[in-house]
Amino acid sequence: MAAVIFAISLSIIQRGIQYGTYAETINTAVRMSTGYLQIQKVGYNQAPTLQKSFELTPKILDEVKSNPQINGYSPRIQTDGLLSYRDQSIGVMVMGVSPKTEPLVTDCKKKIETGRFLAADSPKRDYNPPEIVVGYRLLANLGAQVGDSVVMLAQGFDGTLDNIFVIIVGTFKTGSDEFDRSGAFMDISDLQNFLGMGNRINALAISVRSQDDIQEVANKLNHGLRQTGLVALSWQELLPQLKQTIELDNSSGVLYIIILLAVVGFGILNTVLMSITERFREYGVMLSLGMRQEKLVLAVGLEVFFMLVLGFLIGNGIGIAVNSYLVQHPIQLGGDVAELYRAYNFAPVLVSSLSFKIFLDSSLTILGISVVAAVYPLWRVLKLEPLKGIRYT
């Protein structure tokens, strides 16, 4: 029974941490960049360009607003540019976002390190330069300070190069070295005016109430948006590298579980076989007194069955307790371990999951292993002869 308890509890804890870390990593990644889904022009994801833009029509908004699984949405523009301050110039990726609706989709506003995020309701005046929020590493590399005015150079919607003065109102720190080094946010209306895009946008970022609903929401949107030249893409299509990293790590986790189950399977076989063979004399006596062989096998089988049930209950109980604790108290990793996690695009935190699938899969797998391991000992009982059992040493 100890082997069953050990196998189930360890399997649940290990898979719980894996699934919990994946969910946290996905949530962190999409809440800092793409959102769970995006509506884009067909082909934009493969070759982003300002020309693959679209206007946010009432039909698109109706498709989004009518879906109760969608939690929020926000328009986006993305373009490459050059920020210059004194004699320093650095290439940047500028994200045009709506300060009012962006917090519904991403956590950019929560990642402000110094200064503030873009003002949502500040009055627009012609003599005020547009605001920009940059990564803290980008600000350091520019040698500028919050409050300084810098020049931004970018190619407009019509292909011409243009420049504009922008004022740095804050810096953000996301934990992504690349984005902190080259990312910047501007009010989408300011960026539309600067690039000459009118009301056009590159993408509509969408958040959902549950990660489990992502594919279903994408299918519904694609059904409603057919013949519009637009497509709804999930985060798996927007962030393929993250998806591949998770799949690779999950494969190593499955291999670990297979090795664990093989060891535990032999342990269960050995335990059941020993507990049965050491009572062969008792079985031999019972058979000599007239007990039918099938009833003896049934009795031994029920004994093994109740042992497994008790092991399942205790193992699942331990798994629930440990996973619940890790859900409530995630372990923040630091130092070199945290850097290693970031290098593989994982959030540096150990958090678990209480998904029913984890408990069901672990219990059914151990049940299968246990049943297979119990077959041979029960077969030995079925073939036991009364005299051989009595004389068994």
Side-chain angles (χ1 to χ4, degrees):
M1 188 171 70
V4 177
I5 296 173
F6 174 77
I8 291 182
S9 58
L10 191 61
S11 174
I12 290 173
I13 293 169
Q14 195 264 347
R15 296 300 281 173
I17 291 176
Q18 267 197 308
Y19 279 56
T21 303
Y22 295 158
E24 182 69 18
T25 300
I26 293 168
N27 188 53
T28 301
V30 302
R31 294 290 298 179
M32 277 311 306
S33 55
T34 61
Y36 287 102
L37 298 122
Q38 280 192 7
I39 294 176
Q40 301 177 349
K41 202 83 172 176
V42 173
Y44 175 79
N45 194 47
Q46 291 75 25
T49 170
L50 293 180
Q51 282 66 43
K52 293 177 181 175
S53 55
F54 60 96
E55 292 190 4
L56 198 55
T57 62
K59 175 177 174 53
I60 300 172
L61 289 175
D62 287 343
E63 289 293 336
V64 174
K65 290 179 179 178
S66 62
N67 192 323
Q69 295 163 299
I70 292 177
N71 194 38
Y73 59 89
S74 186
R76 294 276 188 84
I77 290 178
Q78 180 176 322
T79 188
D80 295 325
L82 195 69
L83 277 188
S84 297
Y85 180 72
R86 296 180 178 172
D87 59 346
Q88 191 69 265
S89 297
I90 298 177
V92 294
M93 180 186 71
V94 185
M95 301 276 291
V97 299
S98 167
K100 193 171 184 179
T101 58
E102 189 64 20
L104 298 174
V105 180
T106 68
D107 293 329
C108 301
K109 193 174 181 179
K110 298 178 181 177
K111 300 297 179 180
I112 293 297
E113 188 190 47
T114 57
R116 60 174 174 81
F117 195 63
L118 304 168
D121 299 316
S122 63
K124 302 293 181 184
R125 298 184 178 90
D126 294 337
Y127 54 87
N128 279 344
E131 298 177 347
I132 191 170
V133 179
V134 301
Y136 76 105
R137 287 186 182 276
L138 174 58
L139 185 76
N141 292 337
L142 274 176
Q145 301 291 327
V146 172
D148 287 340
S149 293
V150 297
V151 176
M152 186 173 76
L153 177 71
Q155 188 175 38
F157 184 67
D158 59 0
T160 60
L161 285 174
D162 204 351
N163 61 74
I164 187 175
F165 273 105
V166 293
I167 183 170
I168 300 174
V169 296
T171 63
F172 58 81
K173 184 177 182 180
T174 64
S176 167
D177 186 66
E178 181 181 356
F179 195 55
D180 292 341
R181 195 187 300 275
S182 61
F185 291 107
M186 279 184 67
D187 189 303
I188 191 168
S189 59
D190 291 333
L191 196 56
Q192 283 172 328
N193 291 335
F194 172 55
L195 298 174
M197 294 185 68
N199 293 323
R200 303 179 73 83
I201 62 174
N202 287 134
L204 186 68
I206 295 172
S207 65
V208 293
R209 299 187 187 282
S210 170
Q211 290 188 18
D212 297 333
D213 298 336
I214 292 175
Q215 196 54 53
E216 184 181 349
V217 173
N219 293 338
K220 288 180 180 176
L221 289 175
N222 282 324
H223 179 75
L225 295 173
R226 65 183 186 279
Q227 299 179 346
T228 63
L230 302 177
V231 63
L233 302 177
S234 65
W235 71 265
Q236 291 95 331
E237 297 164 286
L238 299 168
L239 301 170
Q241 290 182 336
L242 177 61
K243 178 191 174 188
Q244 292 169 2
T245 303
I246 289 177
E247 288 177 342
L248 180 63
D249 187 80
N250 188 47
S251 299
S252 65
V254 171
L255 180 62
Y256 172 79
I257 290 293
I258 291 174
I259 295 174
L260 171 67
L261 293 178
V263 173
V264 170
F266 282 109
I268 294 173
L269 171 63
N270 186 51
T271 304
V272 175
L273 191 59
M274 285 181 63
S275 68
I276 288 177
T277 53
E278 69 183 5
R279 287 183 290 171
F280 266 7
R281 285 189 177 183
E282 300 172 23
Y283 298 156
V285 172
M286 294 168 70
L287 292 172
S288 300
L289 293 176
M291 187 175 187
R292 292 175 55 187
Q293 203 97 19
E294 293 79 7
K295 285 191 174 180
L296 179 60
V297 172
L298 179 62
V300 175
L302 286 174
E303 180 184 339
V304 174
F305 172 75
F306 285 115
M307 181 187 72
L308 292 176
V309 169
L310 190 58
F312 274 45
L313 293 176
I314 297 175
N316 276 277
I318 294 174
I320 291 173
V322 175
N323 285 13
S324 298
Y325 179 83
L326 290 176
V327 168
Q328 297 295 326
H329 305 87
I331 301 173
Q332 296 291 335
L333 302 176
D336 294 339
V337 178
E339 293 301 321
L340 182 64
Y341 266 65
R342 290 193 184 97
Y344 285 95
N345 294 323
F346 285 113
V349 59
L350 288 183
V351 61
S352 191
S353 170
L354 290 171
S355 170
F356 178 71
K357 183 176 184 298
I358 296 172
F359 295 89
L360 182 64
D361 289 349
S362 299
S363 297
L364 289 179
T365 304
I366 301 297
L367 175 64
I369 294 288
S370 302
V371 169
V372 172
V375 168
Y376 177 66
L378 293 176
W379 180 82
R380 292 282 304 273
V381 175
L382 183 63
K383 296 299 180 182
L384 183 64
E385 297 177 8
L387 287 179
K388 286 186 178 179
I390 293 172
R391 293 174 181 173
Y392 189 83
T393 56

